[in-house]
């Protein structure tokens, strides 16, 4: 694929506009909006002391939410799987998220929503069934796992040797969660080995996912991504849709490390940065050692979709929406 | 073993003394002491959003810390294993814990100390190596997994079928941690099946531990407890010391579920309640269906040790210590 005519306008520029510098973020805690600096939760939150919660991250790009309903679907499914009664209706959560972004003034935002089982009462024996679920949210300036100016280079992936992914028998991977101890170990190992992003295996030679991202490998023209032991990422879903639209064959199944090591291209997907190619895997170049053409094609389409009304919902900032 | 002459004075009474009712607890956050109700952490704490922290729980009984140095050893080992630089010296942590209890006025207290990797900066890409570790602590009224008036009855154990313990390859079990998603699933299952306390297996038929407690099984006169996949609990350690002192043979190794199912006695150990016998396992009576004689002997000795200067450090409440 050759140079996209309008790539510069579609690719995140990394530069902060005036609205980004005007706000470090806004949070919603216990029914009140506040600057992110003031957003605090009880030290007795079961979401903290038992990591007993689920969350989601939605992107706002140039004034519009991207695929918001997909994220809300997953949030509410997560509550159900954890057996947490949602503390608010879907419409209320939506309204809170829009209001967060509106108040922040951020045109490009990383929006997080968290549902916990609730706050413990100090000195009382814990009874999970008696807690009152809690809702929190915040909007921050948009974050990238890979800085936009490096998108044509790529991330440096490391398949962790010192840690494996928490298995589905212990923790439901379909519930987006804060149990990141394995990812933290993986990231520390990746950094030590000169990489920027870890990938964890299941301990049996199959690749799972990394610290907040899914992984794809292009092998003999087919795009492979793991089926099990992974979160069903929304960016993963969009990448699969784009591949289908583009006629790129996909295979959702077991992805051995060995398959990854002979991939023509590898990329990772996350709301925090979109579609990000891999330059290296365990220190060796992937393909030409930079973002490959198929990855680029999917990345560019991914950002194009952020301007497609079928995928976006504009935020009404002080009565002036993006289209105005 | 027959009735202990002074059991009523040694066994926790469950009744709150005047000092217990006078305080719901005191916390220490970012260098300040405050009522527990006001203790809050940043919503961007990596200890919350990545459960990236370790903690410990120490008991204060009738005005004295029990085995404080064992707990501090484990806390600092946990920091090292997580590669978190402790944000305070050991002497400073000790001083903070004593001051928490002194300020709370609590003579019987559940004291928690937490070390996290620190607070993320909103809108910045996460770099684990650049966070500043944080220290938190609080003292609450003492908590029991099993109410003291039920110690001679026991807990109702359930070996979870729907969830397995997070394996050591993913998370270091020697680091006391808040990754409780598996325990939460186990507790919900235990409650559904009429039990009060879950036990998780490794998925291969071996027992590991439960939601904040280790497990012991007396089989043919030998006390078995799992060696691997478990936290090295301080109450577990004390129970093993008591067994040795009493000439009860111990075996620290693999404990199949099958071994548990033919135990004469079973008990669990936790700082939140000490040594607690099991009345039932998966709905069937353990032994006589109440606390057995060996369990009782170990429990009574456990509480006796709370008055032994070799194991305790008195808190100086307003210049008046327990011995005064």
């Amino acid at each position: 694929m050759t140079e996209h005519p309008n790539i510069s306008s579609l690719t995140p520029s990394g530069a902060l506009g005036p609205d980004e510098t005007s706000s470090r973020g806004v949070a919603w805690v216990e029914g009140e909006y506040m600057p992110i600096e003031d957003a605090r939760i009880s030290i007795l939150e079961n979401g903290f002391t038992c990591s007993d919660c689920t969350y989601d991250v939605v992107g706002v790009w140039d004034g519009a939410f991207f695929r918001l309903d997909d994220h809300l679907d997953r949030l509410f499914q997560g509550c159900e799987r954890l057996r947490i009664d949602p503390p608010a209706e879907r419409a209320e959560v939506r309204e809170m998220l829009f209001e967060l972004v509106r108040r922040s003034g951020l045109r490009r935002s990383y929006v997080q929503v968290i549902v916990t089982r609730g706050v413990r009462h100090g000195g009382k024996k814990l009874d999970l069934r008696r807690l009152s679920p809690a809702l929190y949210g915040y909007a921050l300036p948009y974050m990238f796992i890979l800085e936009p100016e490096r998108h044509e280079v790529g991330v440096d992936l490391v398949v962790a040797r010192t840690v494996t992914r928490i298995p589905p028998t212990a923790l439901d991977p379909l519930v987006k969660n804060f149990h990141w101890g394995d990812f933290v170990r993986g990231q520390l190992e990746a950094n030590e080995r000169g990489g920027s992003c870890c990938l964890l295996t299941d301990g049996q030679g199959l690749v799972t996912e990394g610290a907040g991202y899914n992984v794809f490998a292009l092998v003999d023209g087919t795009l492979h991504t793991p089926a099990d032991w992974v979160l069903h990422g929304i960016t993963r879903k969009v990448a699969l849709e784009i591949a289908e639209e583009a006629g790129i064959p996909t295979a959702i199944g077991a992805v051995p490390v060995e398959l990854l090591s002979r991939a023509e291209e590898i990329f990772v997907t996350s709301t925090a940065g979109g579609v990000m190619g891999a330059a290296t895997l365990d220190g060796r170049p992937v393909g030409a050692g930079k973002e490959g053409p198929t990855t680029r094609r999917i990345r560019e389409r991914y950002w194009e979709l952020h301007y497609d009304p079928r995928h976006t919902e504009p935020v009404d900032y002080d009565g002036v929406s993006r289209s105005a």
Side-chain angles (χ1 to χ4, degrees), chain A:
Chain A
M1 189 175 178
T2 54
E3 183 74 11
H4 193 289
N6 57 351
I7 183 168
S8 63
S9 67
L10 292 176
T11 302
S13 71
L16 295 175
D19 45 85
E20 267 88 5
T21 54
S22 69
S23 172
R24 296 181 57 193
V26 173
W28 189 88
V29 176
E30 293 169 11
E32 285 182 38
Y33 294 93
M34 61 193 71
I36 187 65
E37 295 83 357
D38 299 337
R40 301 169 78 81
I41 63 168
S42 169
I43 202 165
L44 300 181
E45 217 338 315
N46 220 51
F48 175 45
T49 61
C50 293
S51 202
D52 191 10
C53 54
T54 185
Y55 78 108
D56 225 293
V57 173
V58 197
V60 167
W61 193 254
D62 285 353
F65 276 96
F66 185 64
R67 307 281 296 225
L68 177 56
D69 275 318
D70 285 323
H71 291 280
L72 290 175
D73 285 349
R74 186 170 62 184
L75 179 74
F76 280 87
Q77 284 161 12
C79 291
E80 193 177 339
R81 295 175 85 98
L82 289 177
R83 298 162 66 185
I84 293 177
D85 277 332
E89 300 290 331
R90 186 176 173 118
E92 295 169 303
V93 175
R94 287 180 68 91
E95 175 53 30
M96 184 263 283
L97 297 181
F98 273 91
E99 185 64 17
L100 277 174
V101 176
R102 198 190 66 75
R103 287 182 182 239
S104 77
L106 294 165
R107 262 63 180 176
R108 297 181 174 183
S109 179
Y110 170 103
V111 183
Q112 184 161 133
V113 51
I114 306 166
V115 176
T116 73
R117 205 174 303 272
V119 178
R120 306 169 73 143
H121 300 288
K124 292 279 167 54
K125 185 183 154 193
L126 176 63
D127 184 340
L128 293 169
R129 297 161 297 181
R130 296 196 182 182
L131 298 182
S132 298
L135 174 72
Y136 305 95
Y138 56 81
L140 297 178
Y142 191 89
M143 274 183 280
F144 297 89
I145 289 174
L146 178 71
E147 297 77 4
E149 62 272 22
R150 290 183 53 80
H151 269 177
E152 295 181 39
V153 183
V155 298
D156 295 300
L157 290 174
V158 166
V159 180
R161 297 172 188 149
T162 60
V163 58
T164 61
R165 183 77 184 105
I166 296 174
T169 52
L171 201 72
D172 185 345
L174 299 182
V175 179
K176 196 166 166 72
N177 66 73
F178 287 149
H179 287 63
W180 272 47
D182 51 354
F183 291 142
V184 166
R185 284 169 70 176
Q187 277 304 104
L188 291 172
E189 180 186 333
N191 293 156
E192 262 185 358
R193 291 172 55 197
S196 55
C197 293
C198 70
L199 290 175
L200 303 191
T201 74
D202 66 351
Q204 306 292 319
L206 298 183
V207 176
T208 67
E209 60 190 336
Y213 38 88
N214 292 109
V215 63
F216 288 76
L218 187 74
V219 183
D220 300 331
T222 294
L223 204 49
H224 296 259
T225 196
D228 301 321
W229 286 59
V230 299
L231 179 74
H232 289 182
I234 306 304
T235 312
R236 171 182 181 268
K237 180 180 178 182
V238 176
L240 288 167
E241 290 173 4
I242 293 171
E244 188 179 9
E245 176 191 79
I248 303 165
T250 58
I252 305 170
V255 177
V257 175
E258 172 273 322
L259 190 74
L260 213 63
S261 69
R262 59 187 177 87
E264 297 119 37
E265 298 184 29
I266 301 176
F267 62 84
V268 298
T269 57
S270 168
T271 291
V275 174
M276 296 163 281
T280 64
L281 177 72
D282 288 336
R284 291 184 302 275
V286 176
K290 59 178 187 174
E291 182 188 53
T294 299
T295 301
R296 179 172 179 160
R297 186 171 166 195
I298 293 171
R299 170 171 66 83
E300 290 181 350
R301 181 66 182 143
Y302 176 77
W303 288 106
E304 272 180 2
L305 292 176
H306 283 66
Y307 299 90
D308 184 329
R310 291 170 304 169
H311 298 267
T312 55
E313 294 183 66
V315 177
D316 184 4
Y317 300 89
D318 301 317
V320 184
S321 72
R322 174 164 72 171
S323 55

